[in-house]
Amino acid sequence: MRTHAIAVLTEAGVPSPEADADLLIGHVLGFSRGQVQAKALIRSAVDAEQILAITEAVERRSLREPVQHITGLAPFRLLELAVGPGVFVPRPETEFVVQFAIDALAAVASPEPLAVDLGSGSGAIALAMATEVPHSRVVAVENSPAALPWTRRNVQRYGADRVRLVFADLADALPELDGTVDVVASNPPYIPLGAVPRDPEVRLFDPEAALYSGEDGLDAVRALSRTALRLLRPGGALVIEHGELQAASIAAILRADGFTAVDAHRDLLGRDRATTARR
């Protein structure tokens, strides 16, 4: 069964056929990936209904539907987030970026530091900050009616007592908090309108509103910069995820708006994927 699933996914050009086969089989059977590998599953050990469910899951993945849509779950740091159509699936890159926000929030000399996640999507950034800095307060801002149910579901599971969810556009969100926020973090849309993502999982399944942002991909960043400047207290921190070739352009936007200590940060592959700045 596992061998067949791997062969189907390999033929379909799926980038990680073995890992995905293990995850899909494990999802149907209630096993971890390691258990799937260790048990060396054979057809006689699985009932007909489970075989059908595994076959359907592998077929969906062979059409390049994301594993996270099929399982309904996306692991993210200490969390397991509910995801599906209408919401951006959080990536490992964001786990790297959010560390800067967590570190900045944890360093605030306040019994209850305040953070804002602008364009929260699944709630990944907001909930990572809230769970890893448990004495903090976090506001998650989302403006997509399709994404909002996923944000709400994850907030209710992981952060109902510490995360406030607000339906608003990041350009004009939360005027009542102007000058009081310690950390603003965001993974905004940053793909130029004319660019086409290479991966079918992104191109066909991630919501366009979470991907594209103007001719140069930086319209949302411009709005984000202005909003963060308004929300942050003096000395407050801004953390932005972005494309690997955008660091210089984003630094110019932030400095022109008045931010200081603007720095780009490279991920483990040596790509500039995060920028931090201070109000």
Side-chain angles (χ1 to χ4, degrees):
M1 179 186 305
R2 179 176 182 267
T3 300
H4 176 71
I6 292 170
V8 170
L9 298 181
T10 300
E11 177 67 22
V14 172
S16 52
E18 293 189 9
D20 289 3
D22 292 341
L23 289 169
L24 294 173
I25 294 170
H27 173 68
V28 172
L29 301 181
F31 294 155
S32 69
R33 184 185 176 195
Q35 287 174 317
V36 171
Q37 294 171 328
K39 289 179 181 293
L41 295 166
I42 57 174
R43 278 184 179 270
S44 61
V46 183
D47 64 36
E49 185 175 344
Q50 291 172 324
I51 291 172
L52 178 60
I54 291 170
T55 301
E56 290 178 347
V58 171
E59 176 65 21
R60 289 171 65 183
R61 184 68 186 110
S62 73
L63 298 175
R64 306 303 291 270
E65 184 175 354
V67 169
Q68 297 90 337
H69 280 204
I70 300 168
T71 65
L73 297 170
F76 186 83
R77 293 181 70 96
L78 305 178
L79 311 169
E80 194 170 56
L81 301 171
V83 296
V87 71
F88 183 80
V89 173
R91 307 297 205 268
E93 291 86 352
T94 306
E95 296 191 34
F96 156 78
V97 174
V98 77
Q99 187 66 55
F100 295 101
I102 289 167
D103 290 345
L105 192 60
V108 175
S110 165
E112 198 176 47
L114 176 60
V116 172
D117 173 15
L118 292 173
S120 194
S122 66
I125 290 175
L127 290 167
M129 291 191 291
T131 54
E132 297 186 47
V133 189
H135 62 288
S136 65
R137 291 181 297 131
V138 182
V139 183
V141 176
E142 179 53 55
N143 74 339
S144 166
L148 192 68
W150 298 104
T151 326
R152 182 179 294 114
R153 180 174 173 181
N154 290 318
V155 167
Q156 288 173 346
R157 178 179 181 186
Y158 287 110
D161 57 337
R162 297 186 304 281
V163 179
R164 177 165 67 98
L165 176 57
V166 175
F167 183 75
D169 190 276
L170 66 81
D172 53 18
L174 308 173
E176 71 278 11
L177 295 182
D178 285 359
T180 68
V181 177
D182 296 297
V183 176
V184 171
S186 182
N187 177 16
Y190 52 74
I191 298 176
L193 288 175
V196 179
R198 178 182 67 253
D199 297 334
E201 291 84 352
V202 177
R203 186 174 66 251
L204 301 177
F205 293 96
D206 277 326
E208 290 188 0
L211 299 177
Y212 303 102
S213 186
E215 293 299 322
D216 63 356
L218 297 176
D219 283 0
V221 172
R222 294 184 180 93
L224 169 63
S225 175
R226 294 189 294 269
T227 298
L229 195 70
R230 168 171 60 78
L231 290 174
L232 288 168
R233 63 166 174 78
L238 172 62
V239 179
I240 305 174
E241 180 173 340
H242 52 75
E244 60 186 289
L245 302 179
Q246 295 176 319
S249 297
I250 289 174
I253 292 169
L254 297 180
R255 291 192 179 103
D257 283 345
F259 280 96
T260 62
V262 179
D263 289 307
H265 304 274
R266 293 182 176 180
D267 64 13
L268 294 177
L269 297 178
R271 305 171 302 178
D272 288 328
R273 293 304 307 270
T275 289
T276 58
R278 290 283 174 174
R279 166 78 162 82

mmCIF file of all heavy atoms in Angstrom, residues 38 89 118 142 152 261:
data_model
loop_
_atom_site.group_PDB
_atom_site.id
_atom_site.type_symbol
_atom_site.label_atom_id
_atom_site.label_comp_id
_atom_site.label_asym_id
_atom_site.label_seq_id
_atom_site.Cartn_x
_atom_site.Cartn_y
_atom_site.Cartn_z
ATOM 1 N N ALA A 38 7.119 2.030 10.386
ATOM 2 C CA ALA A 38 7.497 0.890 11.223
ATOM 3 C C ALA A 38 6.586 -0.306 11.039
ATOM 4 O O ALA A 38 7.025 -1.460 11.103
ATOM 5 C CB ALA A 38 7.506 1.309 12.689
ATOM 6 N N VAL A 89 -2.135 28.315 3.611
ATOM 7 C CA VAL A 89 -1.527 27.264 4.424
ATOM 8 C C VAL A 89 -0.182 27.775 4.954
ATOM 9 O O VAL A 89 0.693 28.141 4.170
ATOM 10 C CB VAL A 89 -1.310 25.983 3.601
ATOM 11 C CG1 VAL A 89 -0.532 24.958 4.413
ATOM 12 C CG2 VAL A 89 -2.649 25.406 3.154
ATOM 13 N N LEU A 118 -1.207 41.313 11.627
ATOM 14 C CA LEU A 118 -1.994 41.925 10.559
ATOM 15 C C LEU A 118 -2.073 40.985 9.360
ATOM 16 O O LEU A 118 -1.059 40.621 8.771
ATOM 17 C CB LEU A 118 -1.370 43.263 10.133
ATOM 18 C CG LEU A 118 -1.431 44.382 11.183
ATOM 19 C CD1 LEU A 118 -0.639 45.594 10.710
ATOM 20 C CD2 LEU A 118 -2.879 44.777 11.467
ATOM 21 N N GLU A 142 -7.944 40.018 10.383
ATOM 22 C CA GLU A 142 -8.151 39.331 9.106
ATOM 23 C C GLU A 142 -9.327 39.989 8.385
ATOM 24 O O GLU A 142 -10.317 40.363 9.009
ATOM 25 C CB GLU A 142 -8.427 37.844 9.337
ATOM 26 C CG GLU A 142 -8.672 37.035 8.078
ATOM 27 C CD GLU A 142 -7.570 37.190 7.048
ATOM 28 O OE1 GLU A 142 -6.396 36.946 7.383
ATOM 29 O OE2 GLU A 142 -7.904 37.585 5.904
ATOM 30 N N ARG A 152 -10.976 31.933 13.216
ATOM 31 C CA ARG A 152 -11.801 31.815 14.427
ATOM 32 C C ARG A 152 -11.684 30.423 15.044
ATOM 33 O O ARG A 152 -11.560 30.276 16.264
ATOM 34 C CB ARG A 152 -13.259 32.124 14.091
ATOM 35 C CG ARG A 152 -14.194 32.066 15.286
ATOM 36 C CD ARG A 152 -15.623 32.406 14.911
ATOM 37 N NE ARG A 152 -15.736 33.792 14.485
ATOM 38 C CZ ARG A 152 -16.042 34.177 13.248
ATOM 39 N NH1 ARG A 152 -16.240 33.264 12.304
ATOM 40 N NH2 ARG A 152 -16.129 35.449 12.949
ATOM 41 N N ALA A 261 16.501 51.057 12.697
ATOM 42 C CA ALA A 261 17.031 49.717 12.966
ATOM 43 C C ALA A 261 16.430 48.681 12.012
ATOM 44 O O ALA A 261 16.034 47.590 12.421
ATOM 45 C CB ALA A 261 16.759 49.313 14.421
#
